Amino acid sequence: REPASADHRQLRIPDGRVRHQRTSARRWRHRSARDAGGTGHGARHLRTSRATHTAARSILRRTPLTASLRQQDSTLERSMPLIRKILVANRGEVALRVMKTARSLGIQTVAVYSTADAASAHVRQADAAVHIGDSAPAASYLNIPAIIEAARACGADAVHPGYGFLAENEDFARACRDAGLIFIGPPAEAIRMMGDKSNAKRLMREAGVPCVPGYDGEDQSPETLRREADRLGYPVMIKASAGGGGRGMRIVESPEAFAAALASAKSEAA
């Protein structure tokens, strides 16, 4: 066992690093002072609580189920690669939230930024930052080769895509894997299967997952789609199979509004 830290506000984690627990320790330390039972009552209660927890842990150590779970957890921990540095392939509040969580786990963070975002908060908050292109997203936050090169250059172990941009891009997930980087997200194959909404719905039906009634057949002519909408009953929602973020989505309240809504959805998702 690791020797107890001299500072009760520190917690030693398995890889030898020390995590500071100042806030929670402070609340714990002053709990007895807030106790309404009078001087000393809170301290006695705290000692009882510690003794109870110790006894409970002693009992749990002897149960076969706990031993099995502890062994599984140990096996999983050994099989998982250690992440020391994460490149966050996003910007703004999305990147800041990922960085905050990584920092709480003792993991270093790397920001990427376009020319327009050189002074952004996520760039200042990261442990390191790499410029990846001009201001247009296509030249920076959607530039897969530039992001992979940035991850290699800074020595990152993993890439977190945040959401939006490349988060649901199977080519990006595959490029990370091929470069030896951990992609923090679903595998490329899952992204491909779920990226097409019609295919995703068919997969869910095959898996026995309840789905909202609808039509996703091969015949996508306006006449067939209108006929299927009439069969289902209004209101219906038109959803482009490759749309995302609300694009290509229209609610149709009546048969008379169907043709215009279909044309609008198609043009937006194209």
Side-chain angles (χ1 to χ4, degrees), residues 83-149:
I83 297 177
R84 296 184 178 87
K85 184 182 291 186
I86 292 175
L87 181 141
V88 185
N90 217 296
R91 65 181 177 184
E93 184 64 22
V94 177
L96 287 171
R97 292 190 178 202
V98 175
M99 291 173 184
K100 181 180 179 181
T101 301
R103 189 174 296 111
S104 73
L105 297 172
I107 299 173
Q108 291 183 318
T109 58
V110 179
V112 292
Y113 64 94
S114 67
T115 303
D117 292 330
S120 293
H122 78 282
V123 176
R124 298 193 304 271
Q125 289 295 319
D127 296 300
V130 182
H131 179 255
I132 53 171
D134 292 334
S135 300
S140 51
Y141 301 105
L142 296 174
N143 188 342
I144 294 176
I147 294 173
I148 297 297
E149 181 57 34

Side-chain angles (χ1 to χ4, degrees), residues 1-8 10-13 16-18:
R1 293 180 57 186
E2 287 287 339
S5 172
D7 186 348
H8 69 277
Q10 295 180 346
L11 174 67
R12 188 171 295 279
I13 52 182
R17 292 172 293 162
V18 173

Side-chain angles (χ1 to χ4, degrees), residues 234-247:
Y234 295 88
V236 298
M237 183 177 72
I238 299 173
K239 178 72 176 77
S241 63
R247 294 176 297 134

Side-chain angles (χ1 to χ4, degrees), residues 222-241:
E223 297 76 18
T224 298
L225 295 176
R226 166 65 186 274
R227 185 169 58 251
E228 291 297 325
D230 293 342
R231 177 183 63 82
L232 292 165
Y234 295 88
V236 298
M237 183 177 72
I238 299 173
K239 178 72 176 77
S241 63

